[in-house]
Amino acid sequence: MHIHIRKLLAILAVFAMTLGFAACSASPDGGESTKMKTVQTDKGEVEIPEHPTRIISDYYLGEFLAVDVKPVIASPYALNNPYLKDYVEGIEPMNITSSESTLEQFAEAKPDLIVTITEADYEKYSKIAPTVYIQDGKRPDEETFRYIASLAVSYTHLTLPTIVGV
């Protein structure tokens, strides 16, 4: 009987230590600590969160949704895509009234990653959060898809045929 109690106490102690370590890895603002990774972009190297949770994308909504990542803000044109209509609930449309209103909206959303196809806005966006510029048409579609997936998730366990049914 004492052996079982000792084993149980040892398991509970390990569990308590694990919870303690997890609490220590939290940032002072109550969120989890953010590990960063460096990615090569069409504007050079950029440090982005390893696992971004608040993503803004002005173009690649379908690619993000395909890997089960839902941006907080996306292009209203992408949100109106009839093929995506069942997946976009809760995504805020990008305010395209003016450049200033877009920047205000992005800043208020507190993103941890912005992915853009708009080179002219890259510098402005990068003042708000780490920003990845992807030049349109530079890569084949499959390569672009894998690149976008790598920004948002660890997709090494996925294969392209599994994701898109090729």
Side-chain angles (χ1 to χ4, degrees), residues 34-40 45-52 113 147-155:
T34 304
K35 289 185 181 180
M36 302 296 277
K37 65 182 177 181
T38 302
V39 296
Q40 186 62 41
E45 290 186 345
V46 175
E47 279 212 11
I48 67 170
E50 226 174 71
H51 302 287
L113 177 62
Y147 179 71
I148 291 167
S150 74
L151 298 174
V153 297
S154 175
Y155 72 100

Side-chain angles (χ1 to χ4, degrees), residues 21-35:
F21 290 136
C24 290
S25 70
S27 64
D29 65 358
E32 291 187 22
S33 65
T34 304
K35 289 185 181 180

Side-chain angles (χ1 to χ4, degrees), residues 139-160:
R139 298 167 185 80
D141 291 342
E142 180 179 322
E143 186 180 327
T144 301
F145 176 80
R146 288 182 183 275
Y147 179 71
I148 291 167
S150 74
L151 298 174
V153 297
S154 175
Y155 72 100
T156 54
H157 66 286
L158 302 174
T159 61
L160 188 60

Side-chain angles (χ1 to χ4, degrees), residues 24-119:
C24 290
S25 70
S27 64
D29 65 358
E32 291 187 22
S33 65
T34 304
K35 289 185 181 180
M36 302 296 277
K37 65 182 177 181
T38 302
V39 296
Q40 186 62 41
T41 76
D42 292 332
K43 289 287 194 181
E45 290 186 345
V46 175
E47 279 212 11
I48 67 170
E50 226 174 71
H51 302 287
T53 57
R54 299 192 53 78
I55 299 171
I56 294 175
S57 178
D58 65 3
Y59 189 77
Y60 295 104
L61 180 60
E63 288 83 350
F64 280 113
L65 293 174
V67 292
D68 203 27
V69 172
K70 192 179 266 193
V72 293
I73 297 174
S75 161
Y77 306 112
L79 290 170
N80 288 325
N81 182 325
Y83 298 104
L84 302 178
K85 69 179 180 180
D86 294 335
Y87 307 99
V88 298
E89 185 176 332
I91 301 174
E92 186 178 342
M94 187 173 146
N95 185 337
I96 56 173
T97 306
S98 70
S99 178
E100 291 80 23
S101 62
T102 300
L103 293 174
E104 287 174 17
Q105 179 190 29
F106 282 17
E108 287 174 9
K110 296 183 173 53
D112 50 13
L113 177 62
I114 300 173
V115 178
T116 185
I117 193 172
T118 312
E119 186 174 13

